[in-house]
Amino acid sequence: MSMLALVIDDSMLIRHTVCRFLETRGFTVETASNGIAALEALKSIRPDLIVTDLQMPKLSGYQLIDALKANAETAGIPVVILAARPSPGNPQETRAHTFIYKDLNVKDLNVEEQLKQALESLFPPRTAI
């Protein structure tokens, strides 16, 4: 059975990159362009993984995580954060399982390797008995 991921980012390029990566690893993927759209999607789907940006219009990733953790039905869903770069003024979001920094230069985007490592830590391969 395929696992479901919800990818939330206001950048269509990042959504496409992350979706393609997850789909090649057997995930079914739903997307949203902001936190409000994500919360709306969560009314009808229950993903196994959420990948979200922090800086988005309408509802930030921080606010989205607040809403996820406040709801018993979504509180346990693993969250992977994609952020442009570390912010010295903002503490890291400690409620996320993994933090991935996306390079602002799209040619050098190393999101795929970081996502691979994050998925391996969240969903280790099963070994045959």
Side-chain angles (χ1 to χ4, degrees), residues 20-114:
R20 187 183 71 230
F21 174 85
L22 292 170
E23 288 168 348
T24 62
R25 281 149 181 84
F27 279 82
T28 300
V29 183
E30 295 286 332
T31 65
S33 61
N34 61 63
I36 290 176
L39 291 176
E40 189 62 34
L42 288 167
K43 291 178 181 177
S44 61
I45 64 169
R46 197 57 69 223
D48 300 290
L49 174 68
I50 294 175
V51 179
T52 186
D53 188 10
L54 288 179
Q55 301 297 319
M56 296 181 289
K58 299 184 183 181
L59 188 75
S60 73
Y62 294 109
Q63 294 167 312
L64 172 64
I65 293 171
D66 287 343
L68 292 171
K69 298 305 179 182
N71 181 339
E73 291 182 23
T74 58
I77 299 172
V79 175
V80 172
I81 292 177
L82 291 174
R85 65 177 78 154
S87 283
N90 291 340
Q92 252 191 6
E93 175 55 67
T94 59
R95 297 168 296 174
H97 292 80
T98 304
F99 228 98
I100 296 173
Y101 295 108
K102 52 189 177 184
D103 191 306
L104 295 178
N105 180 351
V106 175
K107 287 190 228 173
D108 297 331
L109 198 62
N110 190 24
V111 169
E112 290 186 4
E113 182 58 33
Q114 294 176 70

Coordinates of all heavy atoms in Angstrom, one line a residue, residues 20-114:
R20 N 8.0 15.0 -7.2 CA 8.7 14.1 -8.1 C 9.6 13.1 -7.3 O 9.5 11.9 -7.5 CB 9.5 14.8 -9.1 CG 10.1 13.9 -10.2 CD 11.0 14.7 -11.2 NE 12.2 15.1 -10.5 CZ 12.7 16.3 -10.5 NH1 12.1 17.3 -11.1 NH2 13.8 16.5 -9.8
F21 N 10.3 13.7 -6.3 CA 11.2 12.8 -5.5 C 10.4 11.8 -4.7 O 10.7 10.6 -4.7 CB 12.0 13.7 -4.5 CG 12.8 12.9 -3.6 CD1 14.0 12.5 -3.9 CD2 12.3 12.6 -2.3 CE1 14.8 11.8 -3.0 CE2 13.0 11.9 -1.4 CZ 14.3 11.5 -1.8
L22 N 9.3 12.3 -4.1 CA 8.5 11.3 -3.3 C 7.8 10.3 -4.1 O 7.7 9.1 -3.7 CB 7.5 12.1 -2.4 CG 8.1 13.0 -1.3 CD1 7.0 13.9 -0.7 CD2 8.7 12.1 -0.2
E23 N 7.3 10.7 -5.3 CA 6.6 9.8 -6.2 C 7.5 8.7 -6.6 O 7.1 7.5 -6.8 CB 5.9 10.5 -7.3 CG 4.7 11.3 -6.9 CD 4.2 12.3 -7.9 OE1 4.9 12.6 -9.0 OE2 3.1 12.9 -7.8
T24 N 8.7 9.0 -6.9 CA 9.7 8.0 -7.4 C 10.0 7.0 -6.3 O 10.6 5.9 -6.5 CB 11.0 8.6 -7.9 OG1 11.7 9.3 -6.9 CG2 10.7 9.4 -9.1
R25 N 9.7 7.3 -5.0 CA 9.9 6.4 -3.9 C 8.6 5.8 -3.4 O 8.5 5.3 -2.3 CB 10.6 7.2 -2.8 CG 12.1 7.3 -3.1 CD 12.7 8.5 -2.6 NE 14.1 8.5 -3.0 CZ 14.6 8.9 -4.2 NH1 13.7 9.4 -5.1 NH2 15.9 8.9 -4.4
G26 N 7.6 5.8 -4.3 CA 6.3 5.1 -4.0 C 5.3 5.9 -3.2 O 4.2 5.3 -2.9
F27 N 5.5 7.2 -2.9 CA 4.5 7.9 -2.2 C 3.4 8.4 -3.2 O 3.7 8.7 -4.4 CB 5.1 9.2 -1.6 CG 5.7 8.9 -0.3 CD1 7.0 8.4 -0.2 CD2 5.1 9.2 0.9 CE1 7.7 8.2 1.0 CE2 5.7 9.0 2.1 CZ 7.0 8.5 2.2
T28 N 2.2 8.5 -2.8 CA 1.1 9.3 -3.4 C 1.2 10.7 -2.8 O 1.4 10.8 -1.6 CB -0.3 8.7 -3.1 OG1 -0.3 7.3 -3.6 CG2 -1.4 9.5 -3.8
V29 N 1.1 11.7 -3.6 CA 1.4 13.1 -3.1 C 0.2 14.0 -3.4 O -0.3 14.0 -4.5 CB 2.7 13.6 -3.7 CG1 3.0 15.0 -3.1 CG2 3.9 12.7 -3.5
E30 N -0.2 14.7 -2.4 CA -1.1 15.8 -2.5 C -0.3 17.1 -2.2 O 0.7 17.1 -1.5 CB -2.2 15.7 -1.4 CG -3.1 14.5 -1.6 CD -4.1 14.7 -2.8 OE1 -4.5 15.8 -3.2 OE2 -4.4 13.6 -3.4
T31 N -0.8 18.2 -2.7 CA 0.0 19.5 -2.5 C -1.0 20.6 -2.1 O -2.2 20.5 -2.3 CB 0.7 19.9 -3.8 OG1 -0.3 20.2 -4.8 CG2 1.7 18.9 -4.3
A32 N -0.3 21.6 -1.5 CA -1.0 22.8 -1.1 C 0.0 24.0 -1.2 O 1.2 23.8 -1.0 CB -1.6 22.7 0.3
S33 N -0.5 25.1 -1.6 CA 0.4 26.3 -1.8 C 0.5 27.2 -0.6 O 1.3 28.1 -0.6 CB -0.1 27.1 -3.0 OG -1.4 27.6 -2.8
N34 N -0.2 26.9 0.5 CA -0.1 27.6 1.7 C -0.7 26.8 2.9 O -1.4 25.8 2.7 CB -0.8 29.0 1.6 CG -2.2 28.9 1.3 OD1 -3.0 28.4 2.1 ND2 -2.6 29.4 0.1
G35 N -0.6 27.3 4.1 CA -1.0 26.6 5.3 C -2.6 26.5 5.3 O -3.1 25.4 5.8
I36 N -3.3 27.5 4.9 CA -4.7 27.4 4.9 C -5.2 26.3 4.0 O -6.1 25.5 4.3 CB -5.4 28.8 4.6 CG1 -5.1 29.7 5.8 CG2 -6.9 28.6 4.3 CD1 -5.6 31.1 5.6
A37 N -4.7 26.3 2.8 CA -5.0 25.2 1.8 C -4.7 23.8 2.4 O -5.4 22.8 2.2 CB -4.3 25.4 0.5
A38 N -3.6 23.7 3.1 CA -3.2 22.5 3.7 C -4.2 22.0 4.8 O -4.6 20.9 4.8 CB -1.8 22.6 4.3
L39 N -4.6 22.9 5.6 CA -5.6 22.6 6.7 C -6.9 22.2 6.0 O -7.5 21.2 6.5 CB -5.8 23.8 7.6 CG -4.6 24.1 8.5 CD1 -4.9 25.3 9.4 CD2 -4.3 22.9 9.4
E40 N -7.3 22.8 4.9 CA -8.5 22.4 4.2 C -8.3 21.0 3.6 O -9.2 20.1 3.8 CB -8.7 23.4 3.1 CG -10.1 23.2 2.4 CD -11.3 23.4 3.3 OE1 -11.2 24.2 4.3 OE2 -12.3 22.7 3.2
A41 N -7.1 20.7 3.1 CA -6.9 19.3 2.5 C -6.9 18.3 3.6 O -7.4 17.2 3.4 CB -5.5 19.3 1.8
L42 N -6.4 18.6 4.8 CA -6.4 17.7 5.9 C -7.8 17.3 6.5 O -7.9 16.4 7.2 CB -5.5 18.2 7.1 CG -4.0 18.2 6.8 CD1 -3.3 19.0 7.8 CD2 -3.5 16.8 6.7
K43 N -8.8 18.0 6.0 CA -10.2 17.6 6.4 C -10.6 16.4 5.6 O -11.5 15.7 6.1 CB -11.2 18.8 6.0 CG -11.0 20.0 6.9 CD -11.9 21.1 6.5 CE -11.7 22.3 7.4 NZ -12.6 23.4 6.9
S44 N -10.0 16.1 4.5 CA -10.4 14.9 3.7 C -9.3 13.9 3.5 O -9.5 12.8 3.0 CB -10.9 15.4 2.3 OG -9.9 16.0 1.6
I45 N -8.0 14.2 3.9 CA -7.0 13.2 3.8 C -6.2 13.1 5.1 O -6.3 14.0 5.9 CB -6.0 13.6 2.6 CG1 -5.2 14.9 3.0 CG2 -6.6 13.6 1.3 CD1 -4.1 15.2 2.0
R46 N -5.5 12.0 5.3 CA -4.7 11.8 6.5 C -3.3 11.3 6.0 O -3.1 10.1 5.8 CB -5.3 10.8 7.4 CG -4.7 10.8 8.8 CD -4.8 12.2 9.5 NE -6.2 12.6 9.8 CZ -6.7 13.8 9.6 NH1 -5.9 14.8 9.1 NH2 -7.9 14.1 10.0
P47 N -2.4 12.2 5.7 CA -1.1 11.8 5.2 C -0.2 11.1 6.2 O -0.4 11.2 7.4 CB -0.5 13.1 4.8 CG -1.1 14.1 5.7 CD -2.5 13.6 5.9
D48 N 0.7 10.3 5.7 CA 1.7 9.7 6.5 C 2.9 10.6 6.8 O 3.7 10.3 7.7 CB 2.2 8.4 5.8 CG 1.1 7.4 5.5 OD1 0.6 6.8 6.5 OD2 0.7 7.3 4.4
L49 N 3.0 11.6 6.0 CA 4.1 12.6 6.1 C 3.7 13.9 5.6 O 2.9 14.0 4.6 CB 5.3 12.1 5.1 CG 6.5 13.0 5.0 CD1 7.3 13.1 6.3 CD2 7.4 12.4 3.8
I50 N 4.2 15.0 6.2 CA 3.9 16.4 5.8 C 5.3 17.0 5.6 O 6.1 17.0 6.4 CB 3.1 17.2 6.8 CG1 1.7 16.6 6.9 CG2 3.1 18.6 6.5 CD1 0.8 17.2 8.0
V51 N 5.4 17.6 4.4 CA 6.6 18.4 4.0 C 6.2 19.8 3.8 O 5.3 20.0 3.0 CB 7.3 17.8 2.8 CG1 8.6 18.6 2.4 CG2 7.7 16.3 2.9
T52 N 6.7 20.7 4.6 CA 6.2 22.1 4.6 C 7.3 23.2 4.6 O 8.3 23.0 5.2 CB 5.2 22.4 5.7 OG1 4.6 23.7 5.5 CG2 5.8 22.3 7.1
D53 N 7.0 24.2 3.9 CA 7.8 25.4 4.0 C 7.4 26.2 5.2 O 6.4 25.9 5.8 CB 7.6 26.3 2.7 CG 8.5 27.5 2.6 OD1 9.5 27.6 3.3 OD2 8.2 28.3 1.7
L54 N 8.3 27.1 5.7 CA 7.9 27.9 6.9 C 7.4 29.3 6.4 O 6.4 29.7 7.0 CB 9.1 28.1 7.8 CG 9.6 26.9 8.6 CD1 10.8 27.2 9.4 CD2 8.5 26.4 9.4
Q55 N 8.0 29.9 5.5 CA 7.6 31.2 5.0 C 6.6 31.1 3.9 O 7.0 30.9 2.7 CB 8.8 32.1 4.6 CG 9.8 32.2 5.7 CD 9.3 33.0 6.8 OE1 8.6 34.0 6.7 NE2 9.6 32.6 8.0
M56 N 5.3 31.2 4.2 CA 4.2 31.1 3.2 C 3.2 32.2 3.4 O 3.0 32.7 4.6 CB 3.5 29.8 3.2 CG 4.4 28.6 2.9 SD 3.6 27.0 3.0 CE 3.3 26.8 4.7
P57 N 2.5 32.6 2.4 CA 1.4 33.6 2.6 C 0.2 32.9 3.3 O 0.1 31.7 3.3 CB 1.0 34.0 1.2 CG 1.4 32.8 0.3 CD 2.6 32.2 1.0
K58 N -0.6 33.7 3.9 CA -1.9 33.4 4.5 C -1.8 32.6 5.8 O -2.4 33.0 6.8 CB -2.8 32.5 3.6 CG -3.2 33.3 2.3 CD -4.1 32.5 1.5 CE -4.4 33.2 0.2 NZ -5.3 32.5 -0.7
L59 N -0.9 31.6 5.9 CA -0.7 30.9 7.2 C 0.7 30.3 7.1 O 1.0 29.5 6.2 CB -1.7 29.8 7.3 CG -1.7 29.0 8.7 CD1 -2.3 29.9 9.8 CD2 -2.5 27.7 8.6
S60 N 1.6 30.7 8.0 CA 3.0 30.3 7.9 C 3.1 28.8 8.3 O 2.2 28.2 8.9 CB 3.9 31.1 8.9 OG 3.6 30.8 10.2
G61 N 4.3 28.3 8.1 CA 4.6 26.9 8.5 C 4.5 26.7 10.0 O 4.1 25.7 10.5
Y62 N 5.0 27.8 10.7 CA 4.9 27.7 12.2 C 3.5 27.6 12.6 O 3.1 26.8 13.5 CB 5.6 29.0 12.8 CG 7.0 29.1 12.6 CD1 7.6 30.1 11.7 CD2 7.9 28.3 13.2 CE1 8.9 30.2 11.5 CE2 9.3 28.4 13.0 CZ 9.8 29.4 12.2 OH 11.1 29.5 12.0
Q63 N 2.6 28.5 12.0 CA 1.2 28.4 12.4 C 0.5 27.1 12.0 O -0.3 26.6 12.7 CB 0.4 29.6 11.7 CG 0.9 30.9 12.3 CD 0.4 32.1 11.4 OE1 0.6 32.1 10.2 NE2 -0.1 33.1 12.0
L64 N 0.9 26.6 10.9 CA 0.4 25.3 10.4 C 0.8 24.2 11.4 O 0.0 23.4 11.8 CB 1.0 24.9 9.0 CG 0.7 23.5 8.5 CD1 -0.8 23.3 8.4 CD2 1.4 23.2 7.3
I65 N 2.1 24.2 11.9 CA 2.5 23.2 12.9 C 1.7 23.4 14.2 O 1.3 22.4 14.8 CB 4.0 23.2 13.0 CG1 4.7 22.8 11.8 CG2 4.4 22.4 14.2 CD1 6.2 23.0 11.7
D66 N 1.5 24.6 14.6 CA 0.6 24.9 15.8 C -0.7 24.2 15.6 O -1.2 23.5 16.5 CB 0.4 26.4 16.0 CG 1.6 27.1 16.5 OD1 2.5 26.5 17.0 OD2 1.6 28.4 16.3
A67 N -1.3 24.3 14.5 CA -2.6 23.7 14.2 C -2.6 22.2 14.2 O -3.4 21.5 14.7 CB -3.2 24.3 12.9
L68 N -1.5 21.7 13.6 CA -1.3 20.2 13.5 C -1.2 19.6 14.9 O -1.8 18.6 15.2 CB -0.1 19.8 12.7 CG -0.1 20.1 11.2 CD1 1.2 19.9 10.6 CD2 -1.2 19.3 10.5
K69 N -0.3 20.2 15.7 CA 0.0 19.7 17.0 C -1.2 19.9 18.0 O -1.3 19.1 19.0 CB 1.3 20.3 17.6 CG 2.5 20.0 16.7 CD 2.7 18.5 16.5 CE 3.9 18.2 15.6 NZ 4.1 16.8 15.4
A70 N -2.1 20.8 17.7 CA -3.2 21.1 18.6 C -4.4 20.1 18.3 O -5.3 20.0 19.1 CB -3.7 22.5 18.4
N71 N -4.3 19.4 17.2 CA -5.3 18.4 16.8 C -4.8 17.0 17.0 O -3.9 16.6 16.4 CB -5.7 18.7 15.3 CG -6.8 17.7 14.8 OD1 -7.1 16.7 15.4 ND2 -7.4 18.2 13.7
A72 N -5.6 16.2 17.8 CA -5.1 14.9 18.2 C -5.0 14.0 16.9 O -4.2 13.1 16.9 CB -6.1 14.2 19.2
E73 N -5.8 14.3 15.9 CA -5.8 13.4 14.7 C -4.6 13.7 13.8 O -4.2 12.8 13.0 CB -7.1 13.7 13.9 CG -8.3 13.1 14.5 CD -9.5 13.3 13.6 OE1 -9.4 13.5 12.4 OE2 -10.6 13.4 14.2
T74 N -4.0 14.9 13.9 CA -2.8 15.2 13.1 C -1.5 15.4 13.9 O -0.4 15.5 13.3 CB -3.1 16.5 12.3 OG1 -3.4 17.5 13.2 CG2 -4.2 16.3 11.3
A75 N -1.6 15.4 15.2 CA -0.4 15.7 16.0 C 0.7 14.7 15.8 O 1.9 15.1 15.9 CB -0.8 15.7 17.5
G76 N 0.5 13.5 15.5 CA 1.5 12.5 15.3 C 2.1 12.3 13.9 O 3.0 11.5 13.7
I77 N 1.6 13.1 13.0 CA 2.1 13.0 11.6 C 3.5 13.6 11.5 O 3.7 14.7 12.0 CB 1.2 13.7 10.6 CG1 -0.2 13.1 10.6 CG2 1.8 13.7 9.2 CD1 -1.2 13.9 9.8
P78 N 4.5 12.8 11.0 CA 5.9 13.3 10.9 C 5.9 14.6 10.0 O 5.2 14.6 9.0 CB 6.7 12.2 10.3 CG 5.9 11.0 10.5 CD 4.4 11.4 10.6
V79 N 6.6 15.6 10.4 CA 6.7 16.8 9.7 C 8.2 17.1 9.3 O 9.1 17.0 10.1 CB 6.2 18.0 10.5 CG1 6.5 19.4 9.8 CG2 4.8 17.9 10.9
V80 N 8.4 17.3 8.0 CA 9.7 17.7 7.5 C 9.6 19.1 7.0 O 8.7 19.5 6.2 CB 10.1 16.8 6.3 CG1 11.4 17.3 5.6 CG2 10.3 15.4 6.7
I81 N 10.5 20.0 7.5 CA 10.4 21.4 7.2 C 11.5 21.7 6.1 O 12.6 21.3 6.2 CB 10.7 22.3 8.4 CG1 9.5 22.2 9.4 CG2 10.9 23.7 8.0 CD1 9.7 23.0 10.6
L82 N 11.0 22.4 5.1 CA 11.9 22.9 4.1 C 12.0 24.4 4.3 O 11.0 25.1 4.2 CB 11.3 22.7 2.6 CG 11.3 21.3 2.2 CD1 10.6 21.2 0.8 CD2 12.7 20.7 2.0
A83 N 13.1 24.9 4.6 CA 13.3 26.4 4.9 C 14.4 26.9 4.0 O 15.4 26.2 3.6 CB 13.6 26.6 6.3
A84 N 14.3 28.2 3.6 CA 15.2 28.8 2.7 C 16.6 28.8 3.3 O 17.6 28.5 2.6 CB 14.8 30.2 2.4
R85 N 16.8 29.1 4.6 CA 18.1 29.1 5.2 C 17.8 29.3 6.7 O 16.8 29.8 7.1 CB 19.0 30.2 4.7 CG 18.5 31.6 4.9 CD 19.4 32.6 4.4 NE 19.2 32.8 3.0 CZ 19.5 33.8 2.3 NH1 20.0 34.9 2.9 NH2 19.3 33.9 1.0
P86 N 18.8 29.0 7.5 CA 18.7 29.2 9.0 C 18.5 30.7 9.2 O 19.1 31.5 8.6 CB 20.0 28.7 9.6 CG 20.6 27.9 8.5 CD 20.1 28.4 7.2
S87 N 17.6 31.0 10.1 CA 17.3 32.4 10.5 C 17.9 32.6 11.9 O 17.5 32.0 12.9 CB 15.8 32.7 10.6 OG 15.3 32.9 9.3
P88 N 18.9 33.5 12.0 CA 19.5 33.8 13.3 C 18.5 34.2 14.4 O 18.6 34.0 15.5 CB 20.6 34.8 13.1 CG 20.4 35.3 11.7 CD 19.5 34.4 11.0
G89 N 17.5 35.0 13.9 CA 16.5 35.5 14.9 C 15.4 34.5 15.2 O 14.7 34.7 16.2
N90 N 15.2 33.5 14.5 CA 14.1 32.5 14.7 C 14.7 31.2 15.2 O 15.6 30.6 14.5 CB 13.3 32.2 13.5 CG 12.5 33.4 13.1 OD1 12.3 34.3 13.9 ND2 12.1 33.5 11.8
P91 N 14.3 30.7 16.4 CA 14.8 29.4 16.8 C 14.2 28.3 15.9 O 13.2 28.5 15.2 CB 14.2 29.2 18.2 CG 13.0 30.1 18.2 CD 13.3 31.3 17.2
Q92 N 15.0 27.2 15.8 CA 14.5 26.1 14.9 C 13.2 25.6 15.5 O 13.0 25.5 16.7 CB 15.6 25.0 14.9 CG 16.3 24.9 13.6 CD 17.1 23.6 13.5 OE1 17.1 22.8 14.4 NE2 17.9 23.6 12.4
E93 N 12.4 25.1 14.6 CA 11.1 24.5 15.0 C 11.4 23.2 15.5 O 11.7 22.3 14.8 CB 10.2 24.5 13.7 CG 8.9 23.8 13.9 CD 8.1 24.4 15.1 OE1 7.6 25.5 15.0 OE2 8.0 23.6 16.1
T94 N 11.3 23.0 16.8 CA 11.7 21.7 17.4 C 10.6 20.6 17.3 O 10.8 19.5 17.6 CB 12.0 21.9 18.9 OG1 10.9 22.5 19.6 CG2 13.2 22.8 19.1
R95 N 9.4 21.0 16.9 CA 8.3 20.0 16.8 C 8.4 19.2 15.5 O 7.7 18.3 15.3 CB 7.0 20.7 16.9 CG 6.8 21.3 18.3 CD 5.6 22.2 18.4 NE 5.8 23.3 17.4 CZ 4.8 24.2 17.2 NH1 3.7 24.1 17.8 NH2 5.0 25.2 16.3
A96 N 9.3 19.6 14.6 CA 9.4 18.9 13.3 C 10.4 17.8 13.5 O 11.3 17.8 14.4 CB 10.0 19.9 12.2
H97 N 10.3 16.8 12.7 CA 11.2 15.6 12.7 C 12.5 15.9 12.0 O 13.5 15.4 12.4 CB 10.5 14.4 12.1 CG 9.3 13.9 12.9 ND1 8.1 14.5 12.9 CD2 9.3 13.0 13.9 CE1 7.3 13.9 13.8 NE2 8.0 13.0 14.4
T98 N 12.5 16.7 11.0 CA 13.7 17.0 10.2 C 13.6 18.4 9.6 O 12.5 18.9 9.3 CB 13.8 16.0 9.0 OG1 13.8 14.7 9.6 CG2 15.1 16.2 8.3
F99 N 14.7 19.1 9.6 CA 14.8 20.4 9.0 C 15.7 20.3 7.8 O 16.8 19.9 7.9 CB 15.4 21.4 10.1 CG 14.7 22.6 10.3 CD1 13.8 22.8 11.3 CD2 14.9 23.7 9.4 CE1 13.2 24.0 11.5 CE2 14.3 24.9 9.6 CZ 13.4 25.1 10.7
I100 N 15.3 20.8 6.6 CA 16.1 20.8 5.4 C 16.1 22.2 4.9 O 15.1 22.9 4.8 CB 15.4 19.9 4.3 CG1 15.4 18.4 4.8 CG2 16.2 20.0 3.0 CD1 14.7 17.5 3.9
Y101 N 17.3 22.7 4.6 CA 17.5 24.0 4.1 C 17.6 23.9 2.6 O 18.5 23.3 2.1 CB 18.7 24.7 4.7 CG 18.5 24.9 6.2 CD1 19.2 24.2 7.2 CD2 17.5 25.8 6.6 CE1 18.9 24.4 8.5 CE2 17.3 26.0 8.0 CZ 18.0 25.3 8.9 OH 17.8 25.5 10.3
K102 N 16.8 24.7 1.9 CA 16.8 24.7 0.4 C 17.7 25.9 0.0 O 17.5 27.0 0.5 CB 15.4 24.7 -0.2 CG 14.5 25.8 0.4 CD 13.1 25.7 -0.1 CE 12.2 26.7 0.5 NZ 10.9 26.6 0.2
D103 N 18.6 25.6 -0.9 CA 19.4 26.7 -1.4 C 18.6 27.6 -2.3 O 17.8 27.1 -3.1 CB 20.6 26.1 -2.2 CG 21.6 27.1 -2.5 OD1 21.3 28.1 -3.1 OD2 22.8 26.8 -2.2
L104 N 18.8 28.9 -2.2 CA 18.0 29.8 -3.0 C 18.5 29.8 -4.5 O 17.8 30.3 -5.3 CB 18.2 31.2 -2.4 CG 17.5 31.4 -1.1 CD1 17.7 32.8 -0.6 CD2 16.1 31.0 -1.0
N105 N 19.6 29.2 -4.8 CA 20.1 29.1 -6.1 C 19.5 27.7 -6.6 O 20.0 26.7 -6.2 CB 21.6 29.1 -6.2 CG 22.1 28.9 -7.6 OD1 21.3 28.6 -8.5 ND2 23.4 29.1 -7.8
V106 N 18.5 27.7 -7.5 CA 17.8 26.5 -7.9 C 18.8 25.5 -8.5 O 18.6 24.3 -8.4 CB 16.6 26.9 -8.8 CG1 16.0 25.6 -9.3 CG2 15.6 27.7 -8.1
K107 N 19.8 26.0 -9.2 CA 20.7 25.0 -9.9 C 21.5 24.2 -8.8 O 21.8 23.0 -9.1 CB 21.8 25.8 -10.7 CG 21.2 26.4 -12.0 CD 22.4 26.9 -12.8 CE 22.1 28.3 -13.3 NZ 23.3 28.9 -13.9
D108 N 21.7 24.7 -7.7 CA 22.4 24.0 -6.6 C 21.5 23.3 -5.6 O 21.9 22.9 -4.6 CB 23.4 25.0 -5.9 CG 24.4 25.5 -6.8 OD1 24.8 24.8 -7.8 OD2 24.8 26.6 -6.6
L109 N 20.2 23.3 -5.9 CA 19.2 22.7 -5.0 C 19.6 21.3 -4.6 O 19.7 20.4 -5.4 CB 17.9 22.8 -5.6 CG 16.7 22.7 -4.7 CD1 16.6 23.9 -3.7 CD2 15.4 22.7 -5.5
N110 N 19.8 21.1 -3.3 CA 20.2 19.7 -2.8 C 19.1 19.1 -2.0 O 19.4 18.4 -1.1 CB 21.5 19.9 -2.0 CG 22.1 18.5 -1.7 OD1 21.8 17.5 -2.4 ND2 22.9 18.4 -0.6
V111 N 17.9 19.5 -2.3 CA 16.8 19.0 -1.5 C 16.6 17.5 -1.6 O 16.3 16.9 -0.6 CB 15.5 19.8 -1.9 CG1 14.2 19.2 -1.3 CG2 15.6 21.3 -1.5
E112 N 16.8 17.0 -2.8 CA 16.6 15.6 -3.0 C 17.4 14.7 -2.0 O 16.9 13.7 -1.4 CB 16.7 15.2 -4.4 CG 15.6 15.7 -5.3 CD 15.7 15.3 -6.7 OE1 16.6 14.4 -7.1 OE2 14.9 15.8 -7.5
E113 N 18.7 14.9 -1.9 CA 19.5 14.1 -1.1 C 19.1 14.3 0.4 O 19.1 13.3 1.1 CB 21.0 14.5 -1.3 CG 22.0 13.6 -0.4 CD 21.9 12.1 -0.7 OE1 21.6 11.7 -1.9 OE2 22.0 11.4 0.2
Q114 N 18.8 15.5 0.8 CA 18.4 15.7 2.2 C 17.0 15.0 2.5 O 16.8 14.4 3.5 CB 18.3 17.2 2.5 CG 19.6 17.9 2.4 CD 19.4 19.4 2.6 OE1 19.1 19.8 3.7 NE2 19.7 20.1 1.5

